Amino acid sequence: MNIALKCDKITMKFGGLTAVNEFSAEIREHMIFGLIGPNGAGKTTAFNVITGNLKPTSGDVNFFGKSIVGLKPYKIVSMGMARTFQNIRLFSNLTVLENILTGFHHKLQYNIVDTVLRTPRYYKHEKEMRNTARELLKSVGLLDKADLKASGLPYGERREVEIARALATGPKLLLLDEPAAGMNPQETLNLMYFIQEVKESFNLTVFLIEHDMKFVMNLCETIAVLDHGVKIAEGNPEEIQKNPDVIRAYLGDIDA
Amino acid sequence: MKRFLNILAVALVSFMFMATSSYSKEVKVGVVLPMTGLVAAFGQSAWKGIELAQSMEPTAKDGTKIHLTLLDNKGTKVGTANAVSKLISSNHVKTLIGAITSSDTMAGAPIAERHHIPMISSSATNPLVTKGTKYISRACFIDPFQGAVAAKYVYNNLHKKTATVMIERDQDYSVGLAHAFIKAFKKLGGKVVSVAFFQSTDQDYSAQISTIKAKNPEVIYMPSYYQEIALFCRQARQYGLNQPVLAGDGAEADALIKIGGKAVNGVTFTTHFDPHAAATPLTTKFVNLYNKKYKQNPDAMAALGADAYFIVLNAVSKAGGYKATPKKINYYIRHTKNFKGVTGVININPKTGNAIKSAVIRKVVNGKFVYVTTVNP
Amino acid sequence: MNKKTILTVLSVVLLFLFLWYGDGHLSTYAMRIWEEVGIFLMLAASYNLINGVTGQFSLEPNGFVAIGAYVTAILILTPAQKEAMFIITPMVPWLQNLHMSFFPALIIGGLVTAFVGFLLGFPVFRVRGDYLAIVTLGFGLTIRVVSNNTVPITNGALGLKGLPTYTTIWWCWGWAVFAMIVIMRMVNSEFGRAMKAVRDDEDAAIAMGINTFWIKMTAFITAAFFEGVGGGLLASLITIISPTMFTFFLTFELLIIIVVGGLGSMTGTALATIVVIWGSEILRVVEQPMDIFGLHIPGIPGMRMVVFSVLLILIMIFAREGIMGQKEFSWDSLFNFFKKNKVAQK
C-alpha cells in the first residue's frame, strides 16, 4: 500500500517555545489515522505545518512522494489535501451550494475575461460546477439544504457541510481538526458514520485530531499520541489504551 | 400621532404657498458662498456684508426689489458647480454673486458662462478666474496687482533693494502672489536673493530661517495666511531675524495678533480696505451701520461682499430694473465706471471683467492694525 | 435569453430613455446632479467591490480618483493651454505635447490608476492584517503632497484649469452601467464567490485552494481602474482640479453610500447613491429662509447636514445592514413580493 503522508521529524519552534518536536508519522493510503493528546500538545500546530500554513523550523513533509514543505497552502490543496477547522469555518454569508462551489476554485476552467463577457465557456463550466456540487450534496444527503445560508444550519449539519466543502476540492487526503468538538453524543455518532461513509465513497485517506476518546477509538485504525510536542506512542486503539505513558500524559504523573 | 400628522400636513402646505408668493417687481440674484466647511468664516463674513448692503439699498432705482437666494457650496468645487447650476436653471436668477475662493469660482464659472448669466465674485483674486470669459467679473483686484503693489512699496517707499520670498507651496494664492512680487520687484531693479518654500501644516521654520539669515535680505515677503505668518514671525524674532515682514491680504485677521503677539509688530500687508480710512462716503456709512448691527468692524470679505452687491444693484438699475436681461446686466457690470463703493472707487475693465482699484497698505503697530497708505493702480 | 435577462435589458433601455428625455426636458441643474449620480455610482460600486464584497477595509478612493483625474486632465488639455498654465515651472516637454481625445484619455487614466493599485496592493496583500486601511489612507495624503510638489507635471498648488467639458450625461451613465455590468458579473461568478469567501473567512478560503492574494488583487485593481476613470469624468465635469480637491471627504462620502446601501450589495449601492447625492441637494430647502404662519425663520446654513445626519442615523437604526443588506435586487424577489400581496388580498 502507498504512503499517503509521511512526516519526517517535523520541528516547529516559536521563539523559545518548541510546539512540535521531531514529529514523525507515516499514514498509509485509505486508512483513518488519529492524532490525540492533551490540550496544548501541539496537535493543531502539526496540522498547520502539514497543510502549509506554517513553515516547519526543520523536518520534511512528504505527500504521495513529493516534498510539500514551503509550498503555499492553496497549492497543497490543489495537490489533493483538504482540511476542516476545529471551530467550524464556513463562509457564513454564502449558501450551502456556494460554499461547496468555492471548493472547485483551484481547478477553475474559465478566466476573468470569460466572466465579464459571459462567454459560452463561462456558462458551460458554471453549469458543470453547479451540477457537480449538487451531486456532491446529494451523495452526502444535504441536497435539500443547498440554497440555505450556511449560517442558518444547525451545528451538526454545519460540520457536515464543512466536510463536504473540503471534499469538493477533490482530496486524496482529508485532515479533520477536532470534528466532534462541541457535539452531543447523538451528533457525534452521526458524524462517525458520516466520516466512514465518506471515506469509503470518496476513496479517501483521513487524518484527524480529536479530543473525544471514544470517537477516536471507534473510528481510527492507527493512533498517535502527542504530549508537549513529542510523540509518545503510536499503535492501534487497544495498544494506546494500555500504554502507561499515554495514561500518564492524560491523567498527570500519579507517582509524583 | 394622527393629529400631529394633520398639523404637519397643513403646515407644509401653507409653507409651500408662502414660499412661492413673490414680489411682482423683482430681480432674482443668486449668492453662492461657503457657509460651512473649511473656509466658512470667509463666506459668513461676505454674507454679513451682502445682507447689510441689501438692507441699506434693497431696491434698484425704479423700485425693483433685489431678491437674494443664498446657497451654500461647502467650500468645494463640486458644491459650487451644483449651486450655480441650481440657481440658474431652477431658481432662474439673472445674476450671480460668488464664490469666495478662486478655485471654487472657477468651478462654477463655466456654467454661468454657458448660460450667459453674469457672475461677479467678491474676492476671487486669481487672474485666471475671468480669463477668456464674457460673463465673469470681480469686485476685487487680482493677485499680480497685489504682488506688484507690495514690490513697489518695498522698493519705492521703504527703499529696500533685496528681498527673500517665502512661498506656501500648497496654496495657489501664495504661489500667485509670490510670482507677481518677484516679477515686479526684479523689474523695478530689486534683487530676490532667495526663495524659501514651506507647507500649510508646517510648524517649524528653523530651516527657512537659517537660509534667510545666511542670505541676509533687507525684507521678507511672505504671502501666506495669518497663522503661518504669526508662527514664522515668532520663530524668526527668536532667532534674531529682525527684517521687516510683508504679506498679502491673507494676513488680515485678529488671530494674527493673537497668535503672533509682539513678534508680528511691524508686519505690513496689502489689502482691500481699511475701515478707519474712509475711501468714499459709502465706506463711512457702511462701517457705522456694520458696527451697529454686528458690534464689530467689517473685514475685507464683508466690505467686498457689499461692493459685489452694490455693483450688481447699480447694473440692474441701469439695465432697466425688473425688465433687465442678464445680458444687459452683464454689460453694465462690466462697464462699471468710477463707482464709489465701500472699498474705494471701482472701475471694471469691460474686456477682462477685472476691477481696477486701489490697494490699501496696513501695518501692525502695538497689537493693532493701522492704516499706512493707499496705492493707486 | 430568458425572461429575467429581457427584463434587465429592458430596464437599462428604460434608464437611457429617461436620461434621453431628461436631457431635453429636465433643467440643466437636475441633469447635472444625475451626471454626478452616474459618476458616484461607478465610484461607489467599485469601492464596494473591495470593501463590501471582498471585505478588505480600504480607504483608497480619494487617492485613486486624484490619479485618474490628473492623468486624464493632462491628456485632454492642449499643449497651448498647458504652456499658458504652467507659469512657475514649465511642464515636462513630452507631457506638454501629449494630447488626445477623451475616450483614450479616460482609459489611460484608468489603466495608470489600476497600475498604481497593483503596486500598492502587491506588498499589502502579501501580509495579513488591517494594513490596507493604513496604507491607503497614507497614500491619499501622499498623493496630495506629491501633486503639490511635482510642479512640472501637476502645476503644484495652482492646479489644472480650463479643462474641456467633454463629460456629458451619456459618458457618465455609459461608464456607470458598464462598470455595474462588469462588477456584478464578477460578483456573480466563481471570482465573486471567492471574494466573498475571503471576506467571510480568509483561512478557510485558503484551505479551499483559493489564491487569496490574487483574489484580493483582482478586486483592488478592478476598483482602481474604475475609480481612475471616474476621476477623469469628474475632472472634465468640474473643469478644474487641484491638490485640495480630492480630500478624505470624498472617500468618506463613498463610505456612507456603501454602508447605507449595504456592504456587498451593488443594487443597494445604486439606490444609496441616488439617495445620498440627491438627498443633500433636495435638503437645500431646509436652509432657505421660510415664512410659516407669518413667522419668519431665517435660513440656517449647515442645516441640511444636520437633517441629513439624522436621516442616516435613522437608516442605520432601522436597517442596520443598510437598505439592501447583503442581498441584491432580483426579479424573482419582486415577483414573489407581488405574489404574496395577491395571496394576502384573497
Side-chain angles (χ1 to χ4, degrees), chain B residues 54-362:
Chain B
Q54 194 195 20
S55 71
M56 287 162 73
E57 284 182 46
T59 57
K61 276 211 182 88
D62 65 337
T64 302
K65 191 183 181 295
I66 302 291
H67 180 92
L68 295 177
T69 308
L70 169 70
L71 287 191
D72 176 21
N73 68 0
K74 298 191 207 169
T76 64
K77 298 182 183 71
V78 177
T80 310
N82 289 353
V84 167
S85 188
K86 179 174 164 60
L87 286 168
I88 293 174
S89 64
S90 299
N91 298 54
H92 305 288
V93 300
K94 286 183 176 170
T95 302
L96 286 156
I97 296 175
I100 291 292
T101 67
S102 294
S103 53
D104 286 350
T105 310
M106 271 193 256
I111 301 165
E113 188 76 11
R114 210 179 312 140
H115 289 87
H116 305 300
I117 299 292
M119 178 172 179
I120 179 164
S121 169
S122 56
S123 58
T125 50
N126 191 305
L128 288 172
V129 170
T130 55
K131 198 182 172 194
T133 65
K134 281 190 179 130
Y135 290 86
I136 317 299
S137 312
R138 60 179 127 212
C140 52
F141 46 63
I142 57 176
D143 289 338
F145 174 69
Q146 204 180 160
V149 165
K152 261 190 221 163
Y153 179 75
V154 169
Y155 195 87
N156 295 337
N157 298 45
L158 299 178
H159 306 293
K160 308 283 188 200
K161 311 287 185 244
T162 56
T164 278
V165 180
M166 287 272 294
I167 302 177
E168 191 168 354
R169 188 160 231 164
D170 50 347
Q171 295 292 339
D172 60 345
Y173 161 77
S174 181
V175 175
L177 247 66
H179 186 70
F181 176 87
I182 293 170
K183 217 169 145 189
F185 197 60
K186 278 181 181 164
K187 212 174 166 190
L188 287 167
K191 204 176 160 204
V192 176
V193 289
S194 72
V195 174
F197 291 97
F198 64 100
Q199 308 255 354
S200 297
T201 46
D202 283 357
Q203 299 284 327
D204 176 30
Y205 297 94
S206 48
Q208 290 91 340
I209 289 168
S210 62
T211 358
I212 296 172
K213 259 189 130 173
K215 295 280 179 183
N216 197 27
E218 287 174 279
V219 297
I220 300 161
Y221 185 57
M222 184 178 182
S224 175
Y225 292 99
Y226 52 87
Q227 195 166 347
E228 285 78 6
I229 296 171
L231 279 175
F232 171 78
C233 286
R234 286 188 79 119
Q235 292 174 22
R237 301 311 182 224
Q238 265 171 18
Y239 285 99
L241 198 67
N242 289 314
Q243 282 90 336
V245 172
L246 281 103
D249 58 331
E252 191 168 36
D254 291 336
L256 175 79
I257 293 156
K258 268 187 208 145
I259 302 168
K262 272 186 187 161
V264 295
N265 271 338
V267 170
T268 311
F269 56 89
T270 50
T271 185
H272 305 270
F273 133 104
D274 187 308
H276 306 297
T280 69
L282 193 62
T283 317
T284 325
K285 203 177 157 194
F286 180 78
V287 171
N288 286 341
L289 285 170
Y290 198 95
N291 268 303
K292 217 181 252 174
K293 193 170 177 188
Y294 303 114
K295 314 276 179 257
Q296 67 187 98
N297 268 321
D299 56 12
M301 285 294 160
L304 288 170
D307 271 350
Y309 172 83
F310 286 129
I311 290 170
V312 168
L313 181 74
N314 185 46
V316 169
S317 290
K318 283 185 179 161
Y322 68 96
K323 283 179 284 191
T325 60
K327 222 173 184 165
K328 261 193 162 166
I329 297 175
N330 184 54
Y331 177 86
Y332 286 107
I333 288 177
R334 282 217 161 182
H335 286 79
T336 302
K337 272 210 176 76
N338 289 324
F339 182 75
K340 293 177 183 65
V342 176
T343 58
V345 179
I346 301 168
N347 284 288
I348 290 182
N349 182 335
K351 278 194 193 122
T352 61
N354 292 335
I356 301 151
K357 58 197 281 197
S358 45
V360 170
I361 290 175
R362 296 178 87 190

Side-chain angles (χ1 to χ4, degrees), chain A residues 62-133:
Chain A
N62 234 285
F63 185 54
F64 284 100
K66 270 180 233 154
S67 173
I68 54 169
V69 167
L71 291 182
K72 295 264 181 229
Y74 67 85
K75 263 263 140 60
I76 296 174
V77 173
S78 66
M79 289 168 76
M81 189 195 291
R83 72 170 293 181
T84 64
F85 295 87
Q86 192 171 331
N87 40 345
I88 301 171
R89 297 174 89 163
L90 288 176
F91 306 125
S92 48
N93 291 302
L94 300 186
T95 64
V96 169
L97 185 75
E98 286 170 332
N99 264 283
I100 303 292
L101 284 168
T102 58
F104 301 142
H105 187 88
H106 66 93
K107 43 193 170 188
L108 190 63
Q109 294 190 54
Y110 59 77
N111 58 31
I112 202 94
V113 178
D114 293 316
T115 304
V116 171
L117 299 179
R118 286 289 192 258
T119 57
R121 189 151 64 148
Y122 166 84
Y123 284 114
K124 183 176 161 246
H125 292 297
E126 188 73 13
K127 203 174 167 187
E128 269 174 20
M129 285 197 306
R130 280 175 188 275
N131 287 340
T132 318

